[in-house]
Amino acid sequence: MRILLLGASGYVGGALWSEWSARHTVVGTCASRPVPGLVPLDLRDQEALRRLLDQGFDLVVHAAGLVDLSDAERQPELARQLNAASVATLRDAVRGTGTRILLLSTDNVFDGTAETYTEGDERAPVNAYGHSKCAAEDALIGADALIGEDTLVREDAFAGADTLAGADGRLAGGHLVVRIPLVYGRSPIADRFMARFDGPRTPARTDLVCAPVYLPWLPGALEELWDRSGLLHLGGAQVVTRYELMTRIRDALALPTEVVPVSGDDPLPAPRRPARLVLRSVHHGLLGPGLDTALGDMVRGGPAGRP
């Protein structure tokens, strides 16, 4: 398969690039920081993006954009341009070509008040990042296709990539949105998560609950799902607080960093963070490995394997 991977220089994108390049022809992009083997691209440059798409791809994976919640809160218009406007440009550029788009979205489209979230739950973002990702989802497959129990998922390959409808007649489009939660583990290019342990102390919230996904597991899981269309969730098997996750990693790897328990959002204009984000799917049974499996893999320094 010939894949265009937007954001291959990022934390998640770097892992996707490393894994998929062994089995597919992958053209990856980077932003401001040059990376050997990757194509520089500013997502706001619509003409450059269209020229890149002219090379012809079976699948475009959008793993790029402004992902830091604080940065997005300070620069909501930039978040909109990078996270949402670029998706609209992509969709327009591939219309009628048969090229599929897989957009990585986020659990931050929810407000964190429910025990779990499945694909049919209503979105209610509480921060600028979540709002920008809602706009990105709408740009790709439409707001109407993202609401209700009949949220469409097609398991067959695309038939024109623009004319798929659900059982209730609502147009969902032939592309795929996959929402993912907090991701942890090592990444080959931008190891943003593990960088939190570089200093003598790192804060971790005791009041934020998640079902995090182990990064080396993610490329195989997405590969299992990318022939579907509509909306899917991916989540980890284990539900933990941010503080529990960070202390378990610190202890497993015998790192000297002190993990400092904290609670409560910082004062405005810092972003609000949803208190409980546990993603589950009604359309598939994939769950990321539990912490014991993932941490054992990190200690050994190898990938956790395909789902």
Side-chain angles (χ1 to χ4, degrees), residues 111-176:
D111 62 8
T113 59
E115 188 75 9
T116 62
Y117 291 97
T118 62
E119 290 91 348
D121 287 321
E122 187 172 355
R123 302 172 299 175
V126 299
N127 53 53
Y129 176 63
H131 280 286
S132 73
K133 297 302 281 189
C134 283
E137 294 178 357
D138 294 347
L140 187 62
I141 61 178
D144 290 342
L146 295 167
I147 300 173
E149 295 180 357
D150 293 326
T151 300
L152 174 68
V153 175
R154 280 278 297 267
E155 298 194 26
D156 52 344
F158 286 71
D162 290 305
T163 57
L164 299 178
D168 59 352
R170 292 178 300 182
L171 186 66
H175 307 298
L176 176 63

Coordinates of all heavy atoms in Angstrom, one line a residue, residues 111-176:
D111 N -16.4 15.7 27.4 CA -16.3 16.5 28.6 C -15.8 15.8 29.9 O -15.5 16.5 30.9 CB -17.6 17.3 28.9 CG -18.7 16.4 29.3 OD1 -18.5 15.2 29.4 OD2 -19.9 16.9 29.4
G112 N -15.7 14.5 29.8 CA -15.1 13.7 30.9 C -16.1 13.5 32.1 O -15.7 13.1 33.2
T113 N -17.4 13.6 31.8 CA -18.4 13.4 32.9 C -19.0 12.0 32.9 O -19.7 11.6 33.8 CB -19.5 14.4 32.8 OG1 -20.2 14.3 31.5 CG2 -19.0 15.8 32.9
A114 N -18.7 11.2 31.9 CA -19.3 9.8 31.8 C -18.3 8.8 32.2 O -17.1 9.0 32.2 CB -19.8 9.6 30.3
E115 N -18.8 7.6 32.6 CA -17.9 6.5 33.0 C -17.1 6.1 31.8 O -15.9 5.8 31.9 CB -18.8 5.4 33.5 CG -18.0 4.2 34.1 CD -17.5 4.6 35.5 OE1 -17.8 5.6 36.1 OE2 -16.7 3.8 36.0
T116 N -17.7 5.8 30.6 CA -17.0 5.5 29.4 C -17.6 6.2 28.2 O -18.7 6.7 28.3 CB -17.0 4.0 29.1 OG1 -18.4 3.6 29.0 CG2 -16.4 3.2 30.3
Y117 N -16.9 6.2 27.1 CA -17.4 6.9 25.9 C -17.3 5.9 24.7 O -16.2 5.3 24.5 CB -16.7 8.1 25.6 CG -16.9 9.3 26.5 CD1 -16.1 9.5 27.6 CD2 -18.1 10.1 26.4 CE1 -16.3 10.5 28.5 CE2 -18.3 11.1 27.3 CZ -17.4 11.3 28.3 OH -17.7 12.3 29.2
T118 N -18.4 5.7 24.0 CA -18.4 4.9 22.8 C -18.7 5.8 21.6 O -18.9 7.0 21.8 CB -19.4 3.7 22.8 OG1 -20.7 4.3 23.0 CG2 -19.1 2.8 24.0
E119 N -18.7 5.2 20.4 CA -18.7 6.0 19.2 C -20.0 6.8 19.1 O -20.0 7.9 18.4 CB -18.6 5.1 18.0 CG -17.2 4.6 17.8 CD -17.0 3.2 18.4 OE1 -17.8 2.8 19.3 OE2 -16.0 2.6 18.2
G120 N -21.1 6.4 19.7 CA -22.4 7.1 19.5 C -22.6 8.2 20.5 O -23.6 8.9 20.5
D121 N -21.7 8.4 21.5 CA -21.9 9.4 22.5 C -21.7 10.8 21.9 O -20.8 11.0 21.1 CB -20.9 9.2 23.7 CG -21.4 8.0 24.5 OD1 -22.6 7.8 24.7 OD2 -20.5 7.2 25.0
E122 N -22.5 11.7 22.5 CA -22.4 13.1 22.0 C -21.1 13.8 22.4 O -20.7 13.7 23.6 CB -23.6 13.9 22.5 CG -23.8 15.3 21.9 CD -25.1 16.0 22.3 OE1 -25.9 15.3 22.9 OE2 -25.2 17.1 22.0
R123 N -20.6 14.6 21.6 CA -19.4 15.3 21.9 C -19.7 16.6 22.7 O -20.7 17.2 22.4 CB -18.6 15.7 20.6 CG -18.3 14.5 19.7 CD -17.7 14.9 18.3 NE -18.7 15.7 17.6 CZ -18.5 16.3 16.4 NH1 -17.3 16.2 15.9 NH2 -19.4 17.0 15.8
A124 N -18.8 16.9 23.5 CA -18.9 18.2 24.3 C -17.6 18.6 24.8 O -17.2 18.5 26.0 CB -19.8 17.9 25.5
P125 N -16.8 19.2 23.9 CA -15.4 19.5 24.2 C -15.4 20.7 25.2 O -16.2 21.6 25.2 CB -14.8 19.9 22.9 CG -15.9 20.4 22.1 CD -17.1 19.5 22.5
V126 N -14.3 20.7 26.1 CA -14.2 21.7 27.1 C -12.9 22.6 26.9 O -12.7 23.5 27.7 CB -14.2 21.2 28.5 CG1 -15.6 20.5 28.8 CG2 -13.1 20.2 28.8
N127 N -12.2 22.3 25.9 CA -10.9 23.0 25.6 C -10.8 23.3 24.1 O -11.5 22.7 23.3 CB -9.7 22.3 26.2 CG -9.6 20.9 25.7 OD1 -9.6 20.6 24.5 ND2 -9.4 20.0 26.7
A128 N -9.9 24.2 23.8 CA -9.7 24.6 22.4 C -9.2 23.4 21.5 O -9.6 23.3 20.3 CB -8.7 25.8 22.3
Y129 N -8.4 22.6 22.1 CA -7.9 21.4 21.3 C -9.1 20.5 20.9 O -9.2 20.1 19.8 CB -6.9 20.7 22.1 CG -6.4 19.4 21.4 CD1 -5.7 19.4 20.2 CD2 -6.6 18.2 22.0 CE1 -5.3 18.3 19.6 CE2 -6.2 17.0 21.4 CZ -5.5 17.0 20.2 OH -5.1 15.9 19.6
G130 N -9.9 20.2 21.9 CA -11.1 19.4 21.6 C -12.0 20.0 20.6 O -12.5 19.3 19.7
H131 N -12.2 21.3 20.6 CA -13.0 22.0 19.6 C -12.4 21.9 18.3 O -13.1 21.7 17.3 CB -13.2 23.5 20.0 CG -14.3 23.7 21.1 ND1 -15.6 23.6 20.8 CD2 -14.2 24.0 22.4 CE1 -16.3 23.9 21.9 NE2 -15.4 24.1 22.9
S132 N -11.1 22.0 18.2 CA -10.5 22.0 16.8 C -10.6 20.6 16.3 O -10.7 20.4 15.0 CB -9.0 22.4 16.9 OG -8.2 21.4 17.6
K133 N -10.5 19.5 17.1 CA -10.6 18.2 16.6 C -12.1 17.8 16.2 O -12.3 17.0 15.3 CB -10.1 17.2 17.6 CG -8.6 17.4 17.9 CD -7.7 17.2 16.7 CE -7.5 15.8 16.3 NZ -6.5 15.6 15.2
C134 N -13.0 18.4 16.9 CA -14.4 18.3 16.5 C -14.6 18.8 15.1 O -15.3 18.2 14.2 CB -15.4 19.0 17.5 SG -15.7 18.1 19.0
A135 N -14.0 20.0 14.9 CA -14.1 20.6 13.6 C -13.4 19.8 12.5 O -13.9 19.7 11.4 CB -13.5 22.0 13.6
A136 N -12.3 19.1 12.9 CA -11.6 18.2 11.9 C -12.5 17.0 11.6 O -12.6 16.6 10.4 CB -10.3 17.8 12.5
E137 N -13.1 16.4 12.6 CA -14.0 15.3 12.3 C -15.2 15.7 11.4 O -15.5 15.0 10.5 CB -14.6 14.8 13.7 CG -13.5 14.2 14.6 CD -14.1 13.7 15.9 OE1 -15.3 13.9 16.1 OE2 -13.4 13.1 16.7
D138 N -15.7 16.9 11.7 CA -16.9 17.3 10.9 C -16.4 17.6 9.4 O -17.2 17.3 8.5 CB -17.4 18.6 11.4 CG -18.1 18.4 12.8 OD1 -18.3 17.3 13.2 OD2 -18.4 19.5 13.5
A139 N -15.2 18.1 9.3 CA -14.7 18.4 7.9 C -14.5 17.1 7.1 O -14.7 17.1 5.9 CB -13.4 19.1 8.0
L140 N -14.2 16.0 7.8 CA -13.9 14.7 7.1 C -15.2 13.9 6.8 O -15.4 13.5 5.7 CB -12.9 13.9 7.9 CG -12.5 12.6 7.2 CD1 -11.7 13.0 5.9 CD2 -11.5 11.8 8.0
I141 N -16.0 13.7 7.9 CA -17.1 12.8 7.7 C -18.5 13.4 8.1 O -19.5 12.7 8.0 CB -17.0 11.4 8.4 CG1 -16.8 11.6 9.9 CG2 -15.8 10.7 7.8 CD1 -16.7 10.2 10.6
G142 N -18.5 14.6 8.5 CA -19.7 15.3 8.8 C -20.3 15.1 10.2 O -20.2 14.0 10.8
A143 N -20.8 16.1 10.8 CA -21.3 16.1 12.2 C -22.5 15.1 12.3 O -22.6 14.4 13.3 CB -21.8 17.5 12.6
D144 N -23.4 15.0 11.3 CA -24.5 14.1 11.5 C -24.1 12.6 11.6 O -24.8 11.8 12.2 CB -25.5 14.3 10.3 CG -26.2 15.6 10.3 OD1 -26.2 16.2 11.4 OD2 -26.7 16.0 9.3
A145 N -23.0 12.3 11.0 CA -22.5 10.9 11.0 C -21.9 10.5 12.3 O -21.6 9.3 12.5 CB -21.5 10.6 9.8
L146 N -21.6 11.5 13.2 CA -20.9 11.2 14.4 C -21.8 11.1 15.6 O -21.3 11.0 16.8 CB -19.9 12.3 14.6 CG -18.8 12.4 13.6 CD1 -18.0 13.7 13.7 CD2 -17.8 11.3 13.7
I147 N -23.1 11.2 15.5 CA -24.0 11.3 16.6 C -25.0 10.1 16.5 O -25.6 9.8 15.5 CB -24.8 12.6 16.6 CG1 -23.8 13.8 16.7 CG2 -25.8 12.7 17.7 CD1 -24.5 15.1 16.5
G148 N -25.2 9.4 17.7 CA -26.2 8.4 17.8 C -25.7 7.0 17.7 O -24.6 6.7 17.3
E149 N -26.6 6.1 18.1 CA -26.2 4.7 18.2 C -25.9 4.1 16.8 O -25.3 3.0 16.8 CB -27.3 3.9 18.9 CG -27.5 4.3 20.4 CD -28.6 3.5 21.0 OE1 -29.2 2.7 20.3 OE2 -28.9 3.7 22.2
D150 N -26.4 4.7 15.8 CA -26.2 4.1 14.4 C -25.0 4.7 13.7 O -24.9 4.6 12.5 CB -27.5 4.4 13.6 CG -28.7 3.6 14.1 OD1 -28.5 2.5 14.6 OD2 -29.8 4.1 14.0
T151 N -24.1 5.3 14.5 CA -22.9 5.8 13.9 C -22.3 4.7 13.0 O -22.1 3.6 13.3 CB -21.9 6.1 15.0 OG1 -22.4 7.1 15.8 CG2 -20.6 6.6 14.4
L152 N -22.0 5.1 11.7 CA -21.7 4.2 10.7 C -20.2 3.7 10.8 O -19.3 4.4 11.0 CB -21.8 4.8 9.3 CG -21.4 4.0 8.1 CD1 -22.3 2.8 7.9 CD2 -21.3 4.8 6.9
V153 N -20.1 2.4 10.6 CA -18.7 1.8 10.4 C -18.9 0.8 9.2 O -19.7 -0.1 9.4 CB -18.2 1.1 11.6 CG1 -16.8 0.4 11.2 CG2 -17.9 2.1 12.7
R154 N -18.2 1.0 8.1 CA -18.2 0.1 7.0 C -16.9 -0.7 7.1 O -15.8 -0.2 7.3 CB -18.3 0.8 5.7 CG -19.7 1.2 5.3 CD -20.5 0.1 4.7 NE -19.8 -0.3 3.4 CZ -20.2 0.2 2.2 NH1 -21.1 1.1 2.1 NH2 -19.6 -0.3 1.1
E155 N -17.0 -2.1 7.0 CA -15.8 -2.9 7.0 C -15.2 -3.2 5.7 O -14.2 -3.8 5.6 CB -16.2 -4.2 7.8 CG -16.6 -4.0 9.2 CD -16.7 -5.3 10.0 OE1 -15.9 -6.2 9.6 OE2 -17.4 -5.3 11.0
D156 N -16.0 -2.9 4.6 CA -15.4 -3.2 3.3 C -14.6 -2.0 2.8 O -14.6 -0.9 3.4 CB -16.5 -3.5 2.3 CG -17.6 -2.4 2.3 OD1 -17.6 -1.6 3.3 OD2 -18.4 -2.3 1.3
A157 N -13.8 -2.2 1.8 CA -13.0 -1.2 1.2 C -13.9 -0.1 0.6 O -15.1 -0.3 0.4 CB -12.0 -1.7 0.2
F158 N -13.3 1.0 0.2 CA -14.0 2.1 -0.3 C -14.6 1.9 -1.7 O -14.1 1.3 -2.5 CB -13.1 3.4 -0.3 CG -12.9 3.9 1.1 CD1 -12.1 3.2 1.9 CD2 -13.4 5.1 1.5 CE1 -11.8 3.7 3.2 CE2 -13.2 5.5 2.7 CZ -12.4 4.8 3.6
A159 N -15.8 2.5 -1.9 CA -16.5 2.5 -3.2 C -16.7 3.9 -3.7 O -17.8 4.4 -3.7 CB -17.8 1.7 -3.1
G160 N -15.6 4.6 -3.9 CA -15.7 5.9 -4.4 C -15.3 7.0 -3.4 O -15.1 8.1 -3.7
A161 N -15.3 6.6 -2.1 CA -14.8 7.4 -1.0 C -15.7 8.6 -0.7 O -15.3 9.4 0.1 CB -13.4 7.8 -1.2
D162 N -16.9 8.7 -1.3 CA -17.7 9.9 -1.1 C -19.2 9.6 -0.9 O -19.9 10.5 -0.7 CB -17.5 10.9 -2.2 CG -16.1 11.6 -2.2 OD1 -15.7 12.1 -1.1 OD2 -15.4 11.5 -3.2
T163 N -19.6 8.4 -1.1 CA -21.0 8.1 -1.2 C -21.5 7.0 -0.3 O -22.3 6.2 -0.7 CB -21.4 7.8 -2.6 OG1 -20.6 6.7 -3.1 CG2 -21.1 9.0 -3.6
L164 N -21.0 6.9 0.9 CA -21.5 5.8 1.8 C -22.5 6.4 2.8 O -22.3 7.4 3.4 CB -20.3 5.3 2.6 CG -19.2 4.6 1.8 CD1 -18.0 4.2 2.7 CD2 -19.7 3.5 1.0
A165 N -23.6 5.6 3.0 CA -24.6 6.0 3.9 C -24.9 4.9 4.9 O -24.8 3.8 4.6 CB -25.9 6.4 3.2
G166 N -25.3 5.3 6.1 CA -25.7 4.3 7.2 C -27.0 3.8 7.0 O -27.8 4.1 6.1
A167 N -27.4 2.8 7.9 CA -28.7 2.2 7.8 C -29.8 3.2 8.0 O -30.9 2.9 7.5 CB -28.8 1.1 8.9
D168 N -29.6 4.3 8.6 CA -30.7 5.3 8.8 C -30.6 6.3 7.7 O -31.3 7.3 7.8 CB -30.5 5.9 10.2 CG -29.2 6.6 10.3 OD1 -28.3 6.4 9.5 OD2 -29.0 7.3 11.3
G169 N -29.8 6.1 6.7 CA -29.8 7.0 5.5 C -28.9 8.2 5.6 O -28.8 9.0 4.7
R170 N -28.2 8.3 6.8 CA -27.3 9.5 6.9 C -26.0 9.3 6.2 O -25.3 8.3 6.3 CB -27.0 9.8 8.4 CG -28.3 10.3 9.1 CD -28.0 10.5 10.6 NE -27.6 9.3 11.3 CZ -27.3 9.2 12.6 NH1 -27.4 10.3 13.3 NH2 -26.9 8.1 13.1
L171 N -25.5 10.3 5.5 CA -24.3 10.2 4.8 C -23.1 10.3 5.8 O -23.0 11.1 6.6 CB -24.1 11.4 3.8 CG -22.9 11.4 2.9 CD1 -23.0 10.2 1.9 CD2 -22.8 12.7 2.1
A172 N -22.2 9.3 5.7 CA -21.1 9.3 6.6 C -19.7 9.5 5.9 O -18.7 9.8 6.5 CB -21.0 7.9 7.3
G173 N -19.7 9.4 4.5 CA -18.5 9.5 3.8 C -17.6 8.2 3.9 O -17.9 7.4 4.7
G174 N -16.6 8.1 3.0 CA -15.9 6.9 2.9 C -14.6 6.9 3.7 O -13.8 6.0 3.6
H175 N -14.4 7.9 4.5 CA -13.1 8.1 5.2 C -13.3 7.6 6.7 O -14.4 7.2 7.1 CB -12.7 9.5 5.2 CG -12.6 10.1 3.8 ND1 -11.7 9.5 2.9 CD2 -13.2 11.1 3.2 CE1 -11.8 10.2 1.7 NE2 -12.8 11.1 1.9
L176 N -12.2 7.6 7.4 CA -12.3 7.0 8.8 C -11.7 8.0 9.8 O -10.6 8.5 9.6 CB -11.5 5.7 8.8 CG -11.3 5.0 10.2 CD1 -12.7 4.6 10.7 CD2 -10.4 3.8 10.0

